[in-house]
Amino acid sequence: MLDLFSEEQPWQETLAEGAVILRRRAREDAEALYQQIMAIAEQNPFAHRITPGGHRMSVAMTNCGDFCWSVDSRGYQYQQQDNLNGRKWPAMPPLFRTLAQQAASEAGFPGFNPDACLLNRYEPGAKLTLHQDKDEKDLRQPIVSVSLGLPAVFQFGGFERGDSTQRVLLEHGDIVVWGGPSRLRYHGILPLKPGVHPLVGAWRYNLTFRRAF
């Protein structure tokens, strides 16, 4: 039986051209990453944002970095302040930036320097519908996505919402990187199943690094 929390060595798995999973790549840094997430949440708590259509997102979010992704009645955009409280986002911890840069380089995208990190917190039942990351100014820059905590099923599709998707289990410490010819592929997360992770409890945390400007 597979032990989801075992300490096997990292390896790389290809999803498509320009898209890879770096399995277990963040496990060594997981405890330090989690502590930094908690410190960021103390400064700017996780919150369930309301979409332009008036729907409450099932995923709670916060951010760190110079420019961070947000959503409100006006739509989706990058901002230097949180539109809920008007304060600047917390700075991106050096550990976050270094991990994102190293992961991008290992996936074939050297020189990545993120200026935004979206932190999502999933509780059981939370999901992220299929979408494209296309609000960034330079779409030549990759997306780096780090998973911590409970496992989740990642959907990775094509360039139209109705295209068929791959369904891949993402576990604690996995990093997905996609860019180049895969940069605008649709992707999402199926509803999270209940469980308890020894580090983060009954949650899944996702750190998504972008170059917004």
Side-chain angles (χ1 to χ4, degrees), residues 40-47 49 61-62 82 84-85 87:
I40 290 166
E42 285 185 5
Q43 298 177 62
N44 194 288
F46 283 96
R49 308 282 167 151
M61 60 172 283
T62 186
D82 185 349
L84 291 183
N85 55 37
R87 297 197 300 266

Side-chain angles (χ1 to χ4, degrees), residues 48-82:
H48 295 270
R49 308 282 167 151
I50 306 299
T51 69
H55 300 289
R56 177 182 181 270
M57 295 181 66
S58 63
V59 174
M61 60 172 283
T62 186
N63 286 274
C64 66
D66 298 326
F67 298 94
C68 295
W69 187 88
S70 191
V71 56
D72 58 21
S73 60
R74 297 169 295 173
Y76 305 93
Q77 64 275 316
Y78 281 97
Q79 297 177 324
Q80 290 183 292
Q81 295 84 27
D82 185 349

Side-chain angles (χ1 to χ4, degrees), residues 3-40:
D3 180 0
L4 298 181
F5 311 126
S6 67
E7 295 300 328
E8 295 181 22
Q9 293 299 310
W11 74 92
Q12 189 170 130
E13 180 179 316
T14 300
L15 283 172
E17 185 181 2
V20 300
I21 305 175
L22 305 176
R23 293 290 189 184
R24 294 178 163 81
R25 176 61 177 78
R27 284 203 177 184
E28 184 176 332
D29 296 314
E31 186 170 352
L33 291 169
Y34 179 62
Q35 291 173 353
Q36 293 286 358
I37 292 170
M38 294 298 98
I40 290 166

Side-chain angles (χ1 to χ4, degrees), residues 2 16 35-36 81 83 97 124 141 148 174 178 188 199 205:
L2 177 64
Q35 291 173 353
Q36 293 286 358
Q81 295 84 27
N83 55 20
R97 187 182 307 278
Q141 299 293 322
L148 297 177
D174 289 345
W178 65 96
L199 176 63
Y205 291 91

Side-chain angles (χ1 to χ4, degrees), residues 3-203:
D3 180 0
L4 298 181
F5 311 126
S6 67
E7 295 300 328
E8 295 181 22
Q9 293 299 310
W11 74 92
Q12 189 170 130
E13 180 179 316
T14 300
L15 283 172
E17 185 181 2
V20 300
I21 305 175
L22 305 176
R23 293 290 189 184
R24 294 178 163 81
R25 176 61 177 78
R27 284 203 177 184
E28 184 176 332
D29 296 314
E31 186 170 352
L33 291 169
Y34 179 62
Q35 291 173 353
Q36 293 286 358
I37 292 170
M38 294 298 98
I40 290 166
E42 285 185 5
Q43 298 177 62
N44 194 288
F46 283 96
H48 295 270
R49 308 282 167 151
I50 306 299
T51 69
H55 300 289
R56 177 182 181 270
M57 295 181 66
S58 63
V59 174
M61 60 172 283
T62 186
N63 286 274
C64 66
D66 298 326
F67 298 94
C68 295
W69 187 88
S70 191
V71 56
D72 58 21
S73 60
R74 297 169 295 173
Y76 305 93
Q77 64 275 316
Y78 281 97
Q79 297 177 324
Q80 290 183 292
Q81 295 84 27
D82 185 349
N83 55 20
L84 291 183
N85 55 37
R87 297 197 300 266
K88 291 191 68 173
W89 299 104
M92 187 184 301
L95 173 62
F96 281 23
R97 187 182 307 278
T98 298
L99 179 63
Q101 291 174 327
Q102 290 176 347
S105 182
E106 291 168 22
F109 301 99
F112 179 57
N113 187 25
D115 57 7
C117 177
L118 170 63
L119 288 82
N120 285 331
R121 186 186 68 192
Y122 292 75
E123 60 187 21
K127 63 181 181 179
L128 202 59
T129 57
L130 286 172
H131 64 283
Q132 296 170 301
D133 289 338
K134 58 182 181 180
D135 297 317
E136 299 75 32
K137 295 296 183 183
D138 185 358
L139 296 178
R140 295 173 298 178
Q141 299 293 322
I143 302 293
V144 176
S145 177
V146 181
S147 294
L148 297 177
L150 292 178
V153 177
F154 179 60
Q155 293 181 287
F156 196 65
F159 301 100
E160 301 291 336
R161 189 181 298 274
D163 290 347
S164 61
T165 63
Q166 301 179 61
R167 294 186 175 186
V168 183
L169 185 69
L170 295 181
E171 302 175 72
H172 178 65
D174 289 345
I175 302 179
V176 186
V177 183
W178 65 96
S182 286
R183 179 60 174 76
L184 289 177
R185 285 182 180 269
Y186 276 84
H187 55 281
I189 293 288
L190 293 180
L192 189 72
K193 293 183 178 180
V196 178
H197 187 275
L199 176 63
V200 310
W203 308 95

